[in-house]
Amino acid sequence: MLKKSTFLLLAGFFISLFVEAQVLRSPDGNFQMEFSLTDKGEPSYQLNFKNKPVVLSSLLGFDLKNDEIDLLEGFQVKNSETSSKDEIWNPVWGEESQIRNHYNEFLVELEQAETSRIIKIRFRLFDTGLGFRYEFPVQENMGHFVVQEERTQFAMAGDHTAFWIPGDYDTQEYDYMESKLTEIRSLMEEAITPNASQTPFSDTGVQTALMMKSADGLYINIHEAALIDYPAMHLDLNDQDLVFESHLTPDSQGNKGFLVTLAQSPWRTVIVGENAAKILESRITYNLNEPSKIENTSWIKPMKYVGVWWEMITGQSSWAYTDELKAVKLGVTDYSQVKPNGKHGATTANVKKYIDFAAKHGFDGVLVEGWNIGWEDWFGNSKDYVFDFVTPYPDFDIDAVRDYAKGKGVQMIMHHETSSSVRNYERHMDEAYQLMKDYGYPAVKSGYVGDIIPRGEYHYSQWLVNHYQYAIEKAAEYQIMVNAHEAVRPTGVARTWPNLIANESARGTEYQAFGGSKANHVTILPFTRQIGGPMDYTPGIFEMDVFNGSHVNSTLANQLALYVTMYSPLQMAADYPENYDRFPDAFQFIQDVAIDWEKSLYLEAEPGYYLTIARKAKDSGDWFVGNVNGMAGRTGQVSFNFLDPSKSYIAVIYADKADAHFKSNPQAYEVKKFAVDAKSVLKQFSAPGGGYAVHIKEATKEELKGLKKLK
């Protein structure tokens, strides 16, 4: 039996159902979360949307290591309270200039009778779903404790269709699978493709954010928010009962987390919508993170950049300066005594070409990889002291590059590949960031390729999560923005630390040079990886037949659309400059497209099949529309009723031709120009693996003369 609870009743949203259950409703009343204790005193919850079950009765709790009594049962309600919040906050950058944070909250305090230990569970119910977390207050009977496993359950109400990648302690760089939940086990072997570092853990384990669709058309997304001082959560499926249970990333000794009271878990989130667009509209992930801890954010500025990168990815140039060295010792190896390989990409002359291109076309920055010594033996050797992040190769004049870029009005973006030697990066971090500060580098792209050093650690364990956070906070001290690749997937932490300008943390464009990604990959990522924050996907490839023999499974128009659909305040035009020179009319869209937004509208959405987004630029007020399409050709219809009805506009449409195809005819595109207004409707074909991009700009009567009106 439950003890009587103390309730702060606000606006009638909280209902006490005798002693069996306690019910919380969302502000709009569509969601109902019910908390209860079982006969064994086990905490449980369930979630309904418009009287449809989303999460069936699911247990909550923890297994503890070296403790005879786990935090699973024997609880009584000691106290509870409710509250609500409705506020507007302004992100430093984002998909919109204002975000509403509106929820009703239920906090229950539980006491375990046998141990007198106390845990709290805080539930927040929004109009788009649920967030909840565990809290461990300071108390006499609990100080330090080790988590053996978190036992949070998500019991599904049916055999949903899921878009999933294998659960893995070290990588998210997989193509997505689409299947029923009960089919995951049979498809797991096919889903696990090779990677530089990977540790799958279960035949039915998957990663978050997990996107699902029920048979009756309900869209469900499970993820986590505010991942701080805690291991990343995976989901392990009991495919007999259709129950997901949390599976935390262990450390090298199998421990799932070392906690000290006062402590809390990340938020576990369940976002729900009657259409897929509602999943993308939800801001639960950001709202469950703390406000910015950076008071002066004036130095945090979105950037559009080019760089010395794709030429190495495709094999036309190298990161390494020489082929003569089998091993490198920093401070000992003398690069003046070796022969250059003639393929090194990060030469002063080559970098100046990219700076010239950036300056000519209005790009903010240039990224250069392979500028620093040590690339000859950087990977696969479990090498601790691998890079120093400050010493350039003989053919990269860091002073000359700085001066040349400054004279052209272009900023340089630093590259720090750690080779996953985390201790080495931390020992050099202050000196490396100071170099950036001294040379005027506003942003760093960091990388964590390969197995983690210290050996046996995993990319998503508590220890590594804390390292990534340390790097972000240390960078903020030097007013540096961070774009981390191969790091833990984002969970909205960029609200609190907006200098986390982007992440990779998924299968990006580089895989198009490693055999290709599925043509519908980019229709899924916004529903999965991007639920936690922006992705540095590095789009903009115009030549699909890659130098090394691979093929980019995308049309050229699809690549343009990615600048709208794959949101990031840090956007790269990744192809060779000469390929952009071949298609100047298409390249114009990349030059024009904004990277910071006032408003975003999700016009059409079906994960795996199509996605159309319209965004209003924060700086100019121009609108941009992007559509990416899946494996089959499709004609979509989009109304421009989001435009100001009192104004007239010109729409420039970059679209697939009728015979375009991602494999056989990817560069078949056309550029069309129309007069449009709020009554206009666009009916547009998208090829397999294709799409379209639109730039809508307010126009005068003179500019509209001679243009056909789009009805």
Side-chain angles (χ1 to χ4, degrees):
M1 297 291 289
L2 295 178
K3 293 182 178 179
K4 289 186 178 180
S5 298
T6 302
F7 299 103
L8 175 62
L9 190 60
L10 293 178
F13 65 76
F14 184 81
I15 306 168
S16 174
L17 298 182
F18 306 102
V19 293
E20 288 89 12
Q22 297 156 335
V23 177
L24 180 69
R25 297 189 186 278
S26 59
D28 64 5
N30 288 331
F31 284 94
Q32 176 179 299
M33 189 285 300
E34 180 178 304
F35 173 82
S36 62
L37 294 176
T38 69
D39 292 342
K40 295 181 179 179
E42 301 163 301
S44 71
Y45 76 102
Q46 60 187 60
L47 180 67
N48 292 334
F49 173 70
K50 292 186 176 180
N51 297 318
K52 290 183 179 180
V54 177
V55 180
L56 302 176
S57 183
S58 299
L59 298 178
L60 304 166
F62 287 84
D63 281 342
L64 302 182
K65 186 175 182 180
N66 301 324
D67 202 308
E68 293 182 1
I69 302 175
D70 295 312
L71 296 174
L72 293 172
E73 61 183 17
F75 287 101
Q76 296 177 324
V77 174
K78 184 178 181 182
N79 200 0
S80 66
E81 62 182 48
T82 63
S83 60
S84 65
K85 190 168 192 175
D86 191 0
E87 64 173 356
I88 300 291
W89 60 278
N90 305 105
V92 177
W93 43 259
E95 295 182 76
E96 57 214 343
S97 59
Q98 292 185 330
I99 293 178
R100 187 182 186 188
N101 183 23
H102 189 197
Y103 61 82
N104 292 331
E105 179 176 286
F106 169 55
L107 175 64
V108 60
E109 182 177 350
L110 302 173
E111 183 176 14
Q112 193 174 40
E114 190 172 354
T115 65
S116 297
R117 290 172 175 165
I118 293 173
I119 63 170
K120 297 180 180 181
I121 307 176
R122 189 181 301 269
F123 298 90
R124 287 182 182 170
L125 202 49
F126 302 79
D127 289 343
T128 55
L130 173 68
F132 63 92
R133 74 178 181 193
Y134 303 91
E135 299 176 3
F136 304 91
V138 174
Q139 54 194 287
E140 183 177 347
N141 295 319
M142 201 173 189
H144 292 266
F145 60 104
V146 181
V147 175
Q148 184 162 309
E149 189 60 88
E150 179 186 323
R151 296 294 184 190
T152 300
Q153 292 183 348
F154 304 86
M156 297 295 96
D159 190 11
H160 304 326
T161 297
F163 298 86
W164 58 276
I165 55 176
D168 195 300
Y169 300 152
D170 281 305
T171 187
Q172 300 116 359
E173 294 177 349
Y174 292 115
D175 253 324
Y176 280 87
M177 305 293 289
E178 177 185 353
S179 76
K180 296 291 188 182
L181 297 179
T182 52
E183 296 171 335
I184 290 175
R185 183 185 299 274
S186 64
L187 293 171
M188 185 60 71
E189 183 176 353
E190 174 187 343
I192 300 174
T193 51
N195 194 272
S197 178
Q198 58 190 147
T199 312
F201 65 86
S202 166
D203 288 340
T204 56
V206 298
Q207 299 196 38
T208 71
L210 176 66
M211 186 70 200
M212 293 175 285
K213 182 180 180 181
S214 69
D216 57 356
L218 206 59
Y219 295 82
I220 305 166
N221 187 284
I222 301 176
H223 192 34
E224 61 181 328
L227 175 58
I228 301 288
D229 192 20
Y230 202 88
M233 178 183 73
H234 306 273
L235 299 171
D236 207 3
L237 176 66
N238 177 332
D239 51 3
Q240 297 295 316
D241 299 330
L242 299 179
V243 176
F244 286 107
E245 187 167 277
S246 56
H247 181 101
L248 304 182
T249 306
D251 65 11
S252 61
Q253 297 176 326
N255 302 308
K256 297 295 183 84
F258 288 80
L259 301 183
V260 184
T261 58
L262 181 73
Q264 61 196 30
S265 74
W267 296 88
R268 281 61 187 97
T269 61
V270 184
I271 304 172
V272 183
E274 291 177 295
N275 60 70
K278 295 297 182 183
I279 304 298
L280 301 180
E281 290 173 4
S282 176
R283 298 292 177 254
I284 284 178
T285 312
Y286 280 117
N287 281 329
L288 290 171
N289 279 268
E290 296 297 317
S292 176
K293 293 189 177 182
I294 302 174
E295 292 186 11
N296 173 22
T297 59
S298 61
W299 52 275
I300 302 173
K301 297 178 180 179
M303 298 180 70
K304 200 183 297 183
Y305 71 104
V306 295
V308 184
W309 175 74
W310 188 242
E311 61 184 76
M312 280 101 82
I313 292 293
T314 58
Q316 282 198 304
S317 63
S318 70
W319 286 270
Y321 172 75
T322 180
D323 296 335
E324 291 187 347
L325 297 173
K326 298 299 182 184
V328 172
K329 281 195 172 184
L330 300 186
V332 176
T333 300
D334 185 355
Y335 280 93
S336 68
Q337 301 300 310
V338 298
K339 179 183 177 182
N341 60 21
K343 300 180 296 182
H344 187 220
T347 67
T348 303
N350 193 34
V351 171
K352 284 183 176 180
K353 285 168 49 182
Y354 281 87
I355 293 171
D356 288 342
F357 184 82
K360 179 181 178 180
H361 296 288
F363 284 79
D364 303 297
V366 174
L367 166 74
V368 181
E369 296 199 11
W371 68 276
N372 56 315
I373 63 172
W375 286 91
E376 287 74 19
D377 68 342
W378 75 282
F379 177 75
N381 296 303
S382 193
K383 185 180 180 183
D384 181 16
Y385 202 166
V386 58
F387 295 115
D388 67 8
F389 311 101
V390 295
T391 306
Y393 277 122
D395 58 354
F396 183 78
D397 188 331
I398 191 170
D399 293 305
V401 167
R402 173 198 59 196
D403 295 342
Y404 192 79
K406 186 176 181 180
K408 295 280 187 174
V410 173
Q411 294 179 297
M412 300 302 297
I413 297 174
M414 182 56 74
H415 182 239
H416 291 163
E417 174 54 60
T418 69
S419 189
S420 286
S421 182
V422 177
R423 181 177 69 164
N424 183 58
Y425 192 32
E426 291 188 358
R427 68 161 65 102
H428 287 100
M429 200 173 282
D430 277 292
E431 186 181 6
Y433 286 163
Q434 186 62 55
L435 178 77
M436 289 181 60
K437 190 72 172 175
D438 293 342
Y439 279 77
Y441 285 74
V444 61
K445 173 186 175 181
S446 58
Y448 296 88
V449 175
D451 293 338
I452 294 292
I453 302 172
R455 299 172 186 91
E457 288 292 339
Y458 301 112
H459 281 75
Y460 312 139
S461 67
Q462 181 186 27
W463 198 83
L464 267 297
V465 167
N466 288 347
H467 162 77
Y468 305 134
Q469 188 64 32
Y470 175 76
I472 296 165
E473 296 184 24
K474 177 63 70 173
E477 294 178 16
Y478 292 86
Q479 295 192 335
I480 289 169
M481 298 182 291
V482 175
N483 167 26
H485 282 226
E486 295 90 28
V488 72
R489 60 180 176 269
T491 58
V493 173
R495 179 190 179 186
T496 311
W497 296 95
N499 66 315
L500 180 59
I501 195 76
N503 285 95
E504 182 195 39
S505 303
R507 188 181 177 102
T509 297
E510 63 187 359
Y511 279 83
Q512 297 282 24
F514 304 157
S517 296
K518 293 178 181 177
N520 69 342
H521 184 58
V522 294
T523 69
I524 301 172
L525 284 172
F527 298 95
T528 52
R529 160 62 183 78
Q530 291 202 285
I531 294 297
M535 180 177 178
D536 183 33
Y537 186 73
T538 60
I541 306 302
F542 280 12
E543 177 51 66
M544 310 308 168
D545 290 320
V546 180
F547 178 80
N548 65 5
S550 187
H551 182 83
V552 178
N553 293 318
S554 163
T555 70
L556 193 150
N558 176 283
Q559 289 291 309
L560 297 181
L562 294 174
Y563 288 91
V564 182
T565 62
M566 289 292 295
Y567 168 66
S568 179
L570 186 72
Q571 286 281 26
M572 185 181 196
D575 210 339
Y576 310 133
E578 52 265 35
N579 285 336
Y580 294 133
D581 290 338
R582 292 167 55 199
F583 305 97
D585 55 350
F587 184 58
Q588 188 62 49
F589 182 82
I590 298 179
Q591 295 177 81
D592 292 340
V593 70
I595 48 176
D596 200 14
W597 306 103
E598 179 182 323
K599 183 187 299 185
S600 294
L601 304 172
Y602 307 93
L603 307 179
E604 301 177 301
E606 189 64 42
Y609 296 89
Y610 55 84
L611 175 62
T612 308
I613 300 176
R615 303 192 196 270
K616 186 179 182 182
K618 189 182 290 184
D619 50 357
S620 68
D622 290 7
W623 283 88
F624 294 86
V625 180
N627 165 269
V628 288
N629 190 42
M631 304 296 289
R634 175 180 180 271
T635 298
Q637 180 170 303
V638 171
S639 170
F640 287 171
N641 58 8
F642 49 82
L643 298 176
D644 187 331
S646 67
K647 296 179 180 179
S648 296
Y649 301 83
I650 290 176
V652 184
I653 302 169
Y654 305 78
D656 296 319
K657 285 186 176 179
D659 60 345
H661 189 280
F662 72 88
K663 201 71 171 179
S664 59
N665 201 14
Q667 292 168 329
Y669 72 93
E670 57 187 352
V671 182
K672 303 175 288 185
K673 188 180 290 188
F674 294 97
V676 299
D677 58 24
K679 296 180 181 179
S680 298
V681 175
L682 174 64
K683 296 179 181 179
Q684 183 59 56
F685 169 74
S686 294
Y692 61 83
V694 186
H695 180 191
I696 305 172
K697 190 176 183 67
E698 189 178 344
T700 64
K701 289 183 179 180
E702 188 66 27
E703 292 171 320
L704 293 170
K705 280 185 179 179
L707 284 182
K708 183 179 179 181
K709 177 74 180 295
L710 187 66
K711 300 295 186 181

